[in-house]
């Protein structure tokens, strides 16, 4: 059973009773170096929190805690790829209900700054761009490519229908909208920026303040003369950054658009720990100057499913670096929404700067544990392949109508052969099999392009199972967001022809077939059940697995990878059921009756595997 100290029902009831009534937000304007509200200088004290990274049932909890920390504003990205999963088809339901989130912020007495993109970065797959954009041959995102601009305009016009009534000039809480995001780090095409601004204006999303966010040394690239620039920077850079802003645009409001009070984690790297003392001192200094600040992040949340992004600048010394599922970010509220020491210290600093009494730290939903349980059943991937699609050469995932997950490529070989199988720049991790026997892996992260084969005489089946680990979300390599195999596959010097592709989005674990309690060799799904009397948040210990993904009652919790630093997955209470719950984990490697458990404390870094 789930062990906890505060039930979700009791917590939700208590939280609802504490929420303030909704209020009307007067617009925020600009007068010289000041933001103004109702004729008086107004200091924006904000924190980033991305609603699509937080279970909807917890939006009010996180917003309530943000307000209690002393914030008067919440800043949020909008992830285009989730709102428009296929061209022209929009989904504003469930966790995509941006209107409900904005209204929840208003109910908590918070302003909202909207960051709708179309590009948002955010350590999110392709910076928020839908995967289907990359199915267009030669499509160049974030440029004046007419196809890209048309798709962006369709998205922003549809978003405007939802959100324009909620701008502050119409009585809502949205006081500002971001124009693009950190465009100065990417290019300096002012015609492109003006085109995106025109889209926002037509959508009604620029009726209030319009802001650009850039590094202080890139402001000239990333803003327009009549748009208010704000600056993004790391701890230790505040004084210099504001000096550069003043030099670039004298007599303009001073605002840290992103003050990076934390950092993200990448697979194969160390878990991020940042300097709280430095951040606290700098936050106090900025507030004392009267500058406006947006803390990135007040709450990071989770890149559930396959939605994490990757960094790849494209420099010779650089490499593809995918981010973890966890977006904890060493933020003031941890991944499960628990206030940290950073939260308490920031709360006290804000209270002192604003001359207010600090609010009590709100209660949090319980984070419980689950006793060990065994995934007794397994189902082979080979028994769960869809109908194949034939092509002479392997194509990228998007060409088969697929956006995320895995894809299997198959062809026939004739041996004998001893030498190299060349895959090119695989996107992003490939396991190679001959007659279903593993031959090795090719990993983009490690700059690998080939695997050695020793093929006996006769006819053999070559299978290449590729995982899209996350499209590049920042830097010039973002332009080519294709996933899967993107180069010709060569056996020695010979290009291989006659392929079948099996798209594996892995979005329906309930439809899997061929379950057995016997050992299953090779890539397989593993299923177990866990009984819960009172649902509570927990972190599922995934140290029994190598590389794959996990689902709770059909919901994709995210990726599993033994290289760390993340060795658990956040499992929110609202996604559990009272009674029996289904856990399914996919793994590239053979696992026999793996054991899992739920833990209340994180399993970062690289602990030894539990026997």
């Amino acid at each position: 059973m789930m062990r906890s100290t505060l039930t979700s029902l009791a917590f939700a009831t208590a939280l609802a009773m504490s929420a303030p009534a909704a209020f009307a937000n007067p617009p925020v304007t600009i007068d010289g170096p000041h933001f103004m509200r109702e004729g008086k200088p107004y200091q924006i004290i904000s924190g980033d929190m991305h609603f699509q990274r937080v279970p909807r049932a917890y939006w009010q909890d996180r917003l309530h805690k943000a307000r209690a920390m002393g914030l008067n504003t919440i800043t949020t990205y909008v992830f285009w790829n989730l709102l428009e999963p296929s061209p022209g088809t929009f989904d504003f339901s469930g966790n995509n209900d941006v209107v409900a989130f904005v209204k929840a912020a208003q109910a908590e007495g918070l302003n909202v700054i909207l960051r709708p993109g179309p590009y948002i970065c955010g350590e999110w797959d392709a910076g928020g761009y839908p995967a289907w954009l990359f199915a267009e041959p030669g499509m160049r995102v974030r440029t004046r490519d007419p196809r890209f601009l048309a798709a962006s305009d369709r998205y922003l016009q549809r978003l405007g229908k939802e959100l324009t009534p909620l701008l502050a000039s119409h009585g809502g809480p949205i006081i500002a909208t971001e124009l693009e995001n950190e465009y100065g780090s990417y290019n300096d095409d002012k015609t492109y920026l003006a085109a995106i601004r025109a889209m926002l204006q037509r959508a009604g999303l620029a009726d209030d303040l319009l802001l650009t966010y850039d590094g202080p040394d890139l402001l000239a690239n990333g803003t327009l003369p009549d748009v208010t620039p704000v600056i993004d920077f790391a701890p230790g850079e505040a004084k210099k950054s504001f000096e550069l802003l003043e030099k670039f645009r004298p007599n303009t409001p001073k605002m840290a658009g992103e003050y990076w009070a934390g950092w993200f984690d990448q697979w194969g790297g160390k878990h991020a720990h940042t300097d709280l003392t430095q951040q606290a001192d700098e936050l106090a200094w900025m507030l004392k100057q009267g500058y406006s600040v947006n803390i990135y992040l007040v709450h990071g949340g989770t890149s559930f499913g396959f939605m994490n992004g990757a960094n790849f600048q494209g420099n010779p010394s650089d490499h593809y670096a995918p981010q973890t599922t966890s977006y904890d970010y060493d933020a003031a509220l941890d991944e499960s929404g628990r206030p940290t020491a950073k939260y308490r210290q920031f709360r006290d600093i804000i209270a002192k700067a604003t001359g207010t009494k600090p609010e009590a730290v709100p209660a949090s939903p319980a984070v419980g544990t689950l006793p060990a349980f065994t995934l007794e059943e397994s189902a082979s991937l080979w028994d769960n392949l869809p109908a194949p699609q034939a092509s002479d050469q392997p194509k990228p995932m998007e060409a088969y109508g697929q956006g995320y997950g895995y894809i299997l490529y198959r062809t026939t070989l004739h041996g004998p052969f001893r030498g190299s199988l060349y895959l090119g720049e695989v996107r992003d991790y490939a396991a190679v099999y001959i007659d279903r026997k593993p031959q090795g892996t090719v990993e983009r992260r490690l700059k690998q392009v080939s695997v050695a084969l020793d093929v006996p005489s006769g006819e053999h089946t070559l299978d290449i199972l590729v995982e899209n680990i996350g499209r590049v979300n920042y830097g010039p390599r973002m332009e080519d967001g294709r996933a899967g195999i993107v180069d010709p596959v060569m056996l020695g010097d010979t290009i291989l022809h006659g392929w079948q592709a099996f798209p594996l989005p892995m979005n329906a674990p309930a439809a899997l077939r061929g379950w057995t309690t016997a050992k299953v060799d090779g890539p397989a799904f593993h299923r177990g059940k866990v009984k819960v009397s009172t649902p509570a948040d927990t972190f599922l210990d995934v140290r029994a697995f190598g590389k794959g993904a996990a689902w709770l009652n059909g919901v994709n919790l995210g990726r599993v990878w033994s290289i760390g630093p993340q060795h658990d997955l956040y499992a929110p209470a609202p996604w559990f059921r009272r009674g029996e719950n289904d856990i399914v984990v996919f793994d590239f490697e053979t696992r026999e009756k793996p054991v899992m458990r739920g833990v209340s404390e994180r399993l970062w870094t690289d602990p030894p595997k539990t026997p």
Side-chain angles (χ1 to χ4, degrees):
M1 61 181 291
M2 183 78 76
R3 295 186 288 272
S4 62
T5 57
L6 180 64
T7 69
S8 297
L9 179 60
F11 171 79
T13 301
L15 181 62
M17 293 175 64
S18 69
F23 73 111
N25 304 57
V28 173
T29 57
I30 291 174
D31 184 5
H34 300 293
F35 291 114
M36 305 290 289
R37 173 170 266 176
E38 296 183 307
K40 299 177 182 179
Y42 187 72
Q43 188 175 31
I44 298 170
I45 305 176
S46 177
D48 248 271
M49 179 175 77
H50 311 143
F51 68 99
Q52 288 156 300
R53 276 185 160 125
V54 181
R56 179 171 179 158
Y58 285 153
W59 287 351
Q60 186 183 356
D61 167 62
R62 309 308 195 249
L63 292 166
H64 179 65
K65 288 170 179 168
R67 178 176 61 84
M69 196 176 89
L71 304 185
N72 58 30
T73 305
I74 279 291
T75 298
T76 188
Y77 285 134
V78 181
F79 300 137
W80 175 12
N81 66 326
L82 295 186
L83 292 187
E84 192 178 4
S86 60
T89 301
F90 290 89
D91 178 10
F92 288 94
S93 65
N95 244 62
N96 290 334
D97 192 344
V98 61
V99 169
F101 178 79
V102 171
K103 288 181 176 179
Q106 184 176 28
E108 285 292 342
L110 293 163
N111 309 306
V112 173
I113 295 177
L114 188 70
R115 308 181 72 180
Y119 168 75
I120 53 84
C121 186
E123 291 69 62
W124 191 262
D125 187 273
Y129 289 143
W132 46 260
L133 285 172
F134 303 106
E136 291 276 352
M139 167 73 80
R140 296 183 63 226
V141 299
R142 218 177 186 192
T143 71
R144 283 184 270 164
D145 184 321
R147 298 168 298 176
F148 171 72
L149 292 178
S152 298
D153 191 46
R154 180 180 64 215
Y155 156 64
L156 290 173
Q157 301 316 307
R158 182 64 183 84
L159 186 65
K161 291 180 181 179
E162 299 288 323
L163 292 178
T164 296
L166 293 173
L167 267 62
S169 55
H170 304 299
I174 301 174
I175 60 170
T177 300
E178 182 188 22
L179 168 59
E180 264 291 283
N181 180 53
E182 297 179 338
Y183 184 68
S185 302
Y186 189 77
N187 209 332
D188 61 355
D189 185 348
K190 301 305 173 62
T191 303
Y192 168 79
L193 269 184
I196 300 298
R197 178 180 60 180
M199 294 177 196
L200 291 170
Q201 290 170 334
R202 288 195 300 274
L205 294 173
D207 291 353
D208 287 67
L209 294 179
L210 198 59
L211 309 174
T212 54
Y213 291 53
D214 283 292
D217 55 340
L218 296 166
L219 288 164
N221 292 350
T223 194
L224 296 171
D226 54 350
V227 176
T228 301
V230 300
I231 48 177
D232 301 350
F233 54 88
E237 300 177 357
K239 291 183 181 181
K240 178 183 178 182
S241 296
F242 282 110
E243 288 171 359
L244 289 171
L245 175 59
E246 176 63 22
K247 182 178 180 181
F248 172 76
R249 186 77 61 83
N251 202 39
T252 194
K254 305 297 185 295
M255 180 173 175
E258 287 186 11
Y259 178 62
W260 300 326
W263 203 243
F264 54 85
D265 292 294
Q266 296 176 322
W267 288 114
K270 294 181 179 180
H271 175 47
H273 294 283
T274 58
D275 189 335
L276 173 55
T277 300
Q278 180 187 47
Q279 295 165 17
D281 290 346
E282 203 160 42
L283 175 62
W285 179 83
M286 288 187 285
L287 294 176
K288 186 177 181 180
Q289 310 310 306
Y291 299 157
S292 292
V293 179
N294 177 55
I295 297 166
Y296 194 95
L297 299 140
V298 64
H299 177 51
T302 311
S303 301
F304 291 112
F306 300 132
M307 290 298 111
N308 65 280
N311 274 13
F312 197 170
Q313 289 289 82
N315 302 321
S317 61
D318 198 14
H319 67 281
Y320 169 79
Q323 290 106 25
T324 59
T325 290
S326 173
Y327 201 55
D328 180 90
Y329 207 84
D330 194 24
L333 296 172
D334 75 4
E335 187 173 359
S336 64
R338 293 176 291 191
T340 64
K342 183 177 295 186
Y343 177 96
R344 293 173 175 83
Q345 196 159 344
F346 282 7
R347 176 200 59 166
D348 293 344
I349 288 167
I350 294 169
K352 182 178 180 181
T354 57
T356 58
K357 182 180 178 180
E359 289 195 31
V361 177
S364 291
V367 177
T369 61
L370 286 169
F373 58 95
T374 302
L375 278 60
E376 299 280 358
E377 297 178 291
S378 298
S380 174
L381 175 73
W382 309 119
D383 295 334
N384 283 279
L385 298 178
Q389 299 183 41
S391 58
D392 179 61
Q393 294 285 312
K395 298 178 182 179
M397 178 181 286
E398 300 79 13
Y400 300 103
Q402 181 183 354
Y404 310 97
Y406 301 71
I407 186 167
L408 181 75
Y409 299 92
R410 175 175 289 173
T411 192
T412 300
L413 299 182
H414 292 86
F417 172 82
R418 177 177 291 181
S420 175
L421 177 71
Y422 173 81
L423 302 185
E425 189 190 48
V426 68
R427 310 284 178 83
D428 303 295
Y429 180 97
V432 178
Y433 305 86
I434 298 291
D435 299 330
R436 300 189 178 182
K437 295 180 180 179
Q439 305 296 309
T441 59
V442 175
E443 192 176 335
R444 186 185 188 189
R445 183 180 65 94
L446 301 178
K447 300 184 179 181
Q448 297 169 338
V449 296
S450 62
V451 63
L453 293 185
D454 187 356
V455 183
S457 60
E459 184 175 287
H460 303 275
T461 299
L462 169 67
D463 285 308
I464 306 172
L465 177 59
V466 180
E467 178 186 1
N468 165 13
I469 308 178
R471 292 180 179 84
V472 175
N473 63 262
Y474 182 80
R477 295 296 295 268
M478 186 183 66
E479 274 195 9
D480 182 3
R482 296 173 300 163
I485 292 178
V486 299
D487 295 313
V489 177
M490 301 177 66
L491 191 66
D493 296 326
T494 303
I495 295 176
L496 297 178
H497 298 270
W499 290 85
Q500 292 181 316
F502 301 81
L504 298 164
M506 295 195 182
N507 51 17
L512 294 170
R513 58 190 182 273
W515 292 104
T516 177
T517 56
K519 180 182 177 182
V520 172
D521 291 325
F525 302 88
H526 307 277
R527 182 171 68 182
K529 298 183 182 298
V530 59
K531 289 186 177 180
V532 172
S533 57
T534 303
D537 288 0
T538 194
F539 294 94
L540 292 178
D541 180 351
V542 295
R543 289 176 293 178
F545 301 95
K547 180 154 187 34
W551 292 261
L552 167 62
N553 293 325
V555 179
N556 191 335
L557 297 179
R559 301 185 196 273
V560 174
W561 202 353
S562 59
I563 64 172
Q566 182 180 359
H567 298 278
D568 55 31
L569 287 169
Y570 176 49
W575 297 354
F576 281 96
R577 298 187 290 253
R578 291 182 184 272
E580 202 167 69
N581 293 265
D582 294 320
I583 307 288
V584 173
V585 181
F586 172 74
D587 200 322
F588 276 90
E589 303 169 8
T590 301
R591 304 290 166 193
E592 186 173 10
K593 299 191 183 305
V595 176
M596 300 179 72
R597 59 184 52 78
V599 299
S600 58
E601 298 301 327
R602 302 307 303 271
L603 299 174
W604 291 112
T605 69
D606 299 292
K609 287 183 178 288
T610 302

